[in-house]
Amino acid sequence: MSDPYIQNLFAERIGGKSYGKGTEIYKFEKIKRAKRAALAANPGAELIDMGVGEPDEMAFPECVDALAAAARKPDNRGYADNGADPYKHAAARWMRNVCGVEGIDPATQIVHSIGSKAALSILPACFINPGDVALMTTPGYPVFGTHAKYYGGEVYNLPLLEKNNFLPDLSSVPADKLKRAKTLVINYPNNPTGASATPQFFAEVVAFAKKHNLIVIHDAAYAALVFEGKPLSFLATPGAIDVGVELHSMSKGFNMTGWRLGFVVGNPLIVKAYADVKDNTDSGQFLAVQEACAYSLDHPEITQKIASKYSRRMTGLVEVLNKHGLNARKPKGSFFLYVKAPKAATGKDGKRVAFEKAEAFSQWMITEKLISTVPWDDAGAYVRFSVTFVAKDEADERRVLGEIDKRLAGSKFEF
Ligand SMILES: Cc1ncc(COP(=O)(O)O)c(C=O)c1O
């Protein structure tokens, strides 16, 4: 049967006439299939899922109550457009109280986003012309780069390497790419490496941006999930406001992934361009969600409680993995533990199995151990454990960690 005419109408950016015809199976689909097969082969067994990139718990009850009350207000019923003042003001207070960034003007330096993902998909429209280069880091969250390419831009990926503490080596960008580069997207605490930035690195980024006329977009989706000290905002760096914006999100720090709210803060010209394109893209997040999130931003102790849970789980997981020779190091924030993938292990049948890539190791972990992780082969072979696994209380957390310990016994990992 011939293709319907619609098949010939797809834009080249999503594959043109070949759209949907590829046979390649993507990473997350492979994980899903392996999980399904492992459960079918082991009926009733517990699959420990550490592949999930979102909180395992609901938003706090007081935030849900604030949402319910706000949803009943007639004034909150309509289009929100580029947002309401209370959320912007709460965001500016949060930047000051939690991140120590003073002097943010909510009127000109903050606009909400329907989550960081939406902001990352809108910002390329503000800057990327065909042929422009977008500097990104890899492994990483690809949304800005995907949209930059939709606009005819080119992505240059800077590898995040362990020897550089998973910070990009800015001096490694080739001169011809740098000449055409307009944007640099960074993300700390980082997904997937769990690495944190330093004030020195951020100062280097500001100097680099000024020297090469770059716009910096700091995706700070995990900013407040730190295990000690204060979150490190890029905007706390002298001169940062002249070169960039920071993207904050309610998703991870307040258990609100489904609520879809964040904010873009920083350089007023960049914020204005974002607001203009956003205004032509969406009609804003529900004002009741904004009102409840304004309440939440004024209660940073919520994030501290969430972070301390992840910190506790992280300590336990690091201990278990190290016991079995997996060389884990507790990060300073986020909920991701990034561990080098072994080259081989010993299976339940006593036979040695070699792993060519992290993906093979991750598949083996699902099939053989019923433990799900996410593999990354972009800059070295690593797997990401997320401490957002399901456990109903601290005792249950200890049980899950004990279970991981038992399952990894005798694996004899080789590097
Ligand atoms: C690095 C990074 N940026 C952005 C996002 C998207 O966050 P949001 O829920 O705010 O859209 C995620 C979500 O996984 C992420 O890992």
Side-chain angles (χ1 to χ4, degrees):
M1 221 173 64
S2 65
D3 285 332
Y5 71 89
I6 294 167
Q7 188 67 46
N8 297 321
L9 301 182
F10 293 114
E12 295 306 325
R13 71 176 65 90
I14 64 162
K17 290 184 173 72
S18 306
Y19 169 73
K21 295 194 164 189
T23 50
E24 200 181 338
I25 308 167
Y26 290 101
K27 182 163 82 179
F28 288 97
E29 180 57 27
K30 277 190 193 159
I31 295 172
K32 227 189 274 172
R33 290 185 189 189
K35 287 200 297 196
R36 229 182 288 138
L39 283 173
N42 301 276
E46 178 186 25
L47 188 135
I48 301 173
D49 199 342
M50 294 197 282
V52 193
E54 63 175 313
D56 55 310
E57 284 190 277
M58 268 188 73
F60 279 35
E62 57 271 38
C63 306
V64 176
D65 289 346
L67 174 62
R72 285 194 194 93
K73 294 184 186 168
D75 282 352
N76 283 339
R77 74 189 182 286
Y79 291 122
D81 297 328
N82 274 344
D85 284 346
Y87 180 68
K88 290 186 185 202
H89 285 263
R93 281 195 297 280
W94 186 87
M95 288 300 295
R96 188 184 63 227
N97 299 338
V98 174
C99 299
V101 177
E102 303 276 351
I104 294 289
D105 173 14
T108 59
Q109 294 186 293
I110 294 180
V111 168
H112 84 283
S113 66
I114 303 185
S116 306
K117 186 175 191 175
L120 288 164
S121 73
I122 287 172
L123 281 162
C126 305
F127 298 106
I128 303 296
N129 285 327
D132 290 344
V133 169
L135 302 176
M136 309 270 300
T137 56
T138 187
Y141 193 71
V143 174
F144 184 97
T146 303
H147 285 263
K149 286 190 269 186
Y150 287 171
Y151 292 109
E154 192 185 310
V155 171
Y156 183 81
N157 275 319
L158 288 145
L160 299 181
L161 304 174
E162 195 164 349
K163 67 172 185 188
N164 298 328
N165 298 317
F166 301 110
L167 299 171
D169 175 3
L170 301 175
S171 68
S172 70
V173 185
D176 63 312
K177 303 285 179 198
L178 201 47
K179 231 184 341 194
R180 289 185 290 126
K182 271 192 176 167
T183 54
L184 167 66
V185 179
I186 48 175
N187 157 233
Y188 291 98
N190 182 259
N191 176 12
T193 68
S196 289
T198 59
Q200 295 86 321
F201 170 70
F202 279 160
E204 215 184 286
V205 169
V206 169
F208 182 73
K210 286 192 171 170
K211 182 166 175 200
H212 300 288
N213 294 338
L214 296 172
I215 279 151
V216 178
I217 292 147
H218 181 226
D219 174 359
Y222 301 87
L225 290 178
V226 289
F227 303 151
E228 55 192 67
K230 273 202 325 193
L232 179 63
S233 167
F234 174 64
L235 298 178
T237 317
I241 210 92
D242 302 330
V243 302
V245 287
E246 190 157 75
L247 313 187
H248 286 281
S249 169
M250 304 302 296
S251 290
K252 323 284 171 144
F254 291 93
N255 294 346
M256 288 178 170
T257 42
W259 293 43
R260 311 309 306 136
L261 194 65
F263 60 91
V264 178
V265 52
N267 182 279
L269 256 183
I270 303 174
V271 170
K272 179 175 155 48
Y274 163 74
D276 282 339
V277 179
K278 180 186 171 301
D279 205 22
N280 283 288
T281 307
D282 63 58
S283 298
Q285 182 50 278
F286 184 23
L287 288 167
V289 169
Q290 295 195 36
E291 192 174 319
C293 288
Y295 166 89
S296 306
L297 286 171
D298 283 331
H299 291 274
E301 71 281 2
I302 292 174
T303 310
Q304 284 162 5
K305 279 186 198 151
I306 296 169
S308 79
K309 179 181 98 172
Y310 294 146
S311 176
R312 184 179 68 230
R313 288 177 169 206
M314 200 64 94
T315 301
L317 183 61
V318 165
E319 204 181 296
V320 170
L321 297 184
N322 284 343
K323 185 174 157 191
H324 297 284
L326 279 170
N327 301 318
R329 253 198 304 168
K330 185 179 173 181
K332 294 194 172 80
S334 83
F335 43 62
F336 297 127
L337 181 63
Y338 196 60
V339 176
K340 208 176 192 114
K343 292 214 160 59
T346 301
K348 282 200 283 243
D349 55 4
K351 288 199 184 120
R352 182 179 181 275
V353 49
F355 309 118
E356 225 174 83
K357 295 205 287 180
E359 183 160 71
F361 170 60
S362 163
Q363 290 277 312
W364 180 84
M365 285 281 277
I366 298 172
T367 310
E368 176 107 355
K369 308 290 179 192
L370 280 97
I371 296 173
S372 176
T373 60
V374 178
W376 301 85
D377 284 298
D378 312 73
Y382 290 82
V383 287
R384 188 192 78 183
F385 291 80
S386 181
V387 292
T388 53
F389 56 83
V390 174
K392 57 181 183 301
D393 52 29
E394 280 188 53
D396 201 32
E397 267 172 29
R398 286 194 292 274
R399 182 195 62 77
V400 173
L401 291 169
E403 187 60 34
I404 297 169
D405 185 19
K406 257 192 271 169
R407 292 185 193 186
L408 293 185
S411 296
K412 294 192 204 130
F413 295 117
E414 297 170 35
F415 288 87

